[in-house]
């Protein structure tokens, strides 16, 4: 997409530019507040003085982008790549920078007041003259960074540690000189307020503590119903694999999270079509392929990228599959129970699909999240197979 087309669409009230490709685009002084640039490609883009307040730039790639004096107040920059970006003088007040990559970025004179910097990678970044509180840097990686006072992070951290130790010693001396019946009300600075190296991956004990059990329970329940339906239809192993692989598709991209329930529905639909003979299966497939292709064509025509057009059209096709299946199950009297099981499967897996996001936000690594999520869906399918035997 060209910069001129983006601005024209924005003026026409469009706000969703997810996955858009704007590499090297010149958008200086552009007014793009509240726009959605989720996973957009903005490498090397010129956004000097641009207004991106309260925009969604989550997981966008802004490597080497120029955002000098840009307005990023309240902007979502979660896991965004801003490595080597120029953010000098930018206003990042209240921005969410959790897990953001700011390696070797220029943040000199930037306003980072109330910004969320949990596990933000600021290694090698320049923070000279930046407005930021010491406490806000407690969970950030600042290895090799230039701090607001011009010192290196290592020098700055040592200075603050020495200051804290001096304050503690001074308060101890004062407390010893006070009469025994008097109390000293000043609070001793806690070590947790000092900049520290980012936390290591969660331990097994911490994992059990932070697991989102309600969401995982719904996910398990949904896949039990899917497994039961697949067993009732005597589905082949390929359809079981399709249902399971679709459940972990979010590993390739967060946008595929909503394919968790849809992929299972597609697997059930394919198993049903495979059991039909003659024109019945052909017409069922045509009912799905025709509108899916129409949606793809419309999205691509209005300016969505090829990848986004494919994803969204497949999502719509999956929804159509779900409605068709529910109608088929209700149409045949003996399948009414399967219809309600299917609905419960969709609802349970749909609500449970966000459990991997919850785990990631609580500090789980991808290597920890994938086995848990994939294990729950696999166990659910296996349990559904067992129930289907009765």
């Amino acid at each position: 997409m060209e910069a001129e087309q983006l601005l024209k669409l924005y003026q026409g009230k469009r706000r969703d530019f997810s996955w858009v490709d704007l590499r090297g685009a010149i958008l200086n002084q552009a007014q793009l507040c509240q726009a959605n640039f989720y996973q957009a490609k903005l490498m090397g883009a010129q956004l000097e003085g641009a207004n991106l307040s309260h925009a969604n730039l989550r997981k966008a790639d802004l490597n080497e982008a120029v955002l000098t004096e840009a307005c990023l107040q309240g902007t979502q920059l979660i896991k965004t790549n801003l490595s080597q970006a120029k953010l000098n003088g930018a206003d990042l007040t209240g921005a969410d920078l959790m897990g953001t990559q700011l390696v070797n970025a220029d943040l000199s004179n930037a306003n980072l007041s109330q910004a969320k910097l949990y596990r933000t990678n600021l290694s090698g970044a320049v923070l000279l003259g930046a407005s930021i509180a010491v406490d806000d840097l407690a969970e950030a990686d600042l290895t090799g960074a230039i701090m607001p006072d011009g010192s290196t992070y290592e020098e700055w951290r040592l200075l603050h540690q020495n200051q804290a130790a001096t304050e503690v010693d001074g308060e101890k001396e004062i407390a010893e000189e006070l009469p025994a019946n008097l109390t000293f009300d000043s609070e001793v600075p806690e070590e947790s307020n000092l900049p520290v190296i980012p936390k290591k991956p969660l331990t097994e004990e911490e994992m059990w503590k932070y697991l989102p059990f309600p969401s995982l329970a719904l996910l398990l329940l949904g896949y039990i119903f899917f497994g039961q339906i697949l067993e009732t239809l005597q589905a082949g192993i390929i359809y079981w694999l399709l249902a399971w692989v679709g459940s972990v598709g979010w590993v390739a991209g967060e946008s595929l999270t909503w394919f968790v329930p849809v992929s299972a529905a597609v697997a059930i639909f394919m198993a049903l079509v495979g059991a039909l003979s003659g024109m019945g299966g052909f017409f069922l497939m045509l009912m799905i392929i025709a509108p899916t292709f129409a949606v793809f064509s419309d999205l691509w025509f209005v300016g969505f990228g090829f990848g986004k057009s494919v994803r969204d059209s497949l999502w719509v096709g999956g929804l159509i599959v779900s409605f068709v299946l529910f109608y088929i199950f209700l149409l045949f009297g003996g399948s009414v129970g399967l219809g309600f099981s299917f609905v419960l499967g969709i609802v349970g897996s749909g609500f449970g699909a966000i459990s991997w996001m919850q785990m990631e936000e609580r500090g789980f690594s991808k290597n920890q999240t994938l086995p848990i999520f994939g294990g729950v869906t696999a166990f659910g399918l296996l349990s559904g197979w067992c129930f289907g035997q009765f």
Side-chain angles (χ1 to χ4, degrees):
M1 182 181 290
E2 299 295 328
E4 294 78 8
Q5 183 184 7
L6 168 74
L7 295 174
K8 184 177 180 180
L9 290 170
Y10 184 86
Q11 291 173 357
K13 306 303 180 182
R14 176 174 163 183
R15 294 295 181 267
D16 187 8
F17 301 99
S18 304
W19 300 288
V20 71
D21 191 340
L22 287 162
R23 282 176 282 195
I26 299 175
L27 292 162
N28 295 327
Q29 309 300 324
Q31 297 296 313
L32 296 166
C33 59
Q34 297 183 336
N36 180 15
F37 289 102
Y38 173 77
Q39 286 198 356
K41 296 177 181 178
L42 291 156
M43 296 84 84
Q46 304 287 318
L47 290 155
E48 184 174 349
N51 183 0
L52 287 158
S53 60
H54 302 287
N56 178 13
L57 286 159
R58 181 169 180 160
K59 290 191 175 182
D61 194 341
L62 286 145
N63 184 49
E64 297 185 347
V66 179
L67 290 145
T68 302
E69 296 184 354
C71 179
L72 294 159
Q73 294 180 0
T75 303
Q76 291 187 42
L77 293 160
I78 301 169
K79 295 188 177 180
T80 301
N81 182 11
L82 283 161
S83 297
Q84 303 181 67
K86 290 181 172 58
L87 289 149
N88 44 308
D91 188 352
L92 288 145
T93 305
D96 193 340
L97 293 152
M98 186 180 74
T100 303
Q101 294 295 317
L102 283 159
V103 180
N104 298 323
D106 184 359
L107 287 152
S108 54
N109 299 310
N111 186 354
L112 288 153
S113 301
Q114 301 176 3
K116 299 175 183 177
L117 296 164
Y118 179 71
R119 296 196 173 184
T120 303
N121 189 350
L122 285 157
S123 57
V126 178
L127 292 159
L128 183 64
S131 176
I132 191 168
V134 175
D135 291 352
D136 293 339
L137 295 169
E139 297 290 348
D141 183 355
L142 292 152
T143 306
I146 303 300
M147 304 309 291
D149 60 1
S151 62
T152 65
Y153 166 65
E154 289 72 19
E155 295 170 342
W156 181 83
R157 183 168 184 258
L158 182 61
L159 174 64
H160 280 270
Q161 286 176 330
N162 290 338
Q163 287 179 347
T166 301
E167 291 174 6
V168 171
D169 292 339
E171 290 178 356
K172 285 181 178 179
E173 290 178 3
I174 294 172
E176 289 173 357
E177 295 175 1
L178 290 173
N181 61 338
L182 294 181
T183 58
F184 188 72
D185 295 328
S186 298
E187 294 184 359
V188 177
E190 298 179 2
E191 291 185 5
S192 59
N193 291 330
L194 295 175
V196 295
I197 302 300
K199 293 181 179 179
K200 296 179 180 179
L202 297 179
T203 63
E204 185 175 344
E205 182 179 349
E206 289 173 327
M207 287 169 60
W208 277 106
K209 180 179 179 181
Y210 296 119
L211 276 175
F213 286 105
S215 297
L216 288 173
L218 286 172
L219 181 68
L220 175 65
L221 186 64
Y223 270 79
I224 288 175
F225 284 116
F226 288 146
Q228 183 181 10
I229 296 171
L230 286 170
E231 173 56 25
T232 302
L233 296 175
Q234 296 294 300
I237 187 65
I238 187 65
Y239 304 116
W240 291 85
L241 286 174
L242 175 60
W244 182 80
V245 171
S247 74
V248 293
W250 48 266
V251 175
E254 186 179 329
S255 60
L256 299 179
T257 300
W258 306 117
F259 281 84
V260 172
V262 168
S263 61
V266 170
I268 294 171
F269 178 79
M270 295 298 291
L272 185 63
V273 169
L276 296 176
S277 59
M279 297 298 291
F282 172 77
F283 280 117
L284 276 178
M285 290 297 296
L286 190 62
M287 286 174 60
I288 307 304
I289 293 174
T292 300
F293 182 75
V295 171
F296 167 77
S297 302
D298 289 341
L299 291 175
W300 201 9
F301 179 77
V302 298
F304 284 81
F306 178 79
K308 180 171 174 56
S309 299
V310 170
R311 281 189 292 265
D312 288 358
S313 60
L314 288 177
W315 163 246
V316 172
L319 290 179
I320 296 172
V321 164
S322 300
F323 284 117
V324 169
L325 275 177
F326 183 63
Y327 177 76
I328 291 173
F329 287 144
L330 290 184
L331 184 65
F332 299 98
S335 301
V336 174
L338 289 181
F340 286 107
S341 293
F342 179 70
V343 170
L344 292 173
I346 291 290
V347 172
S349 60
F351 282 106
I354 63 170
S355 57
W356 79 265
M357 296 182 186
Q358 294 172 323
M359 286 188 282
E360 195 170 89
E361 289 177 356
R362 296 176 187 184
F364 286 72
S365 67
K366 191 74 74 177
N367 291 335
Q368 294 171 329
T369 304
L370 178 57
I372 294 171
F373 194 99
V376 168
T377 54
F379 182 71
L381 290 172
L382 179 61
S383 301
W385 175 81
C386 293
F387 287 125
Q389 299 295 311
F390 302 103

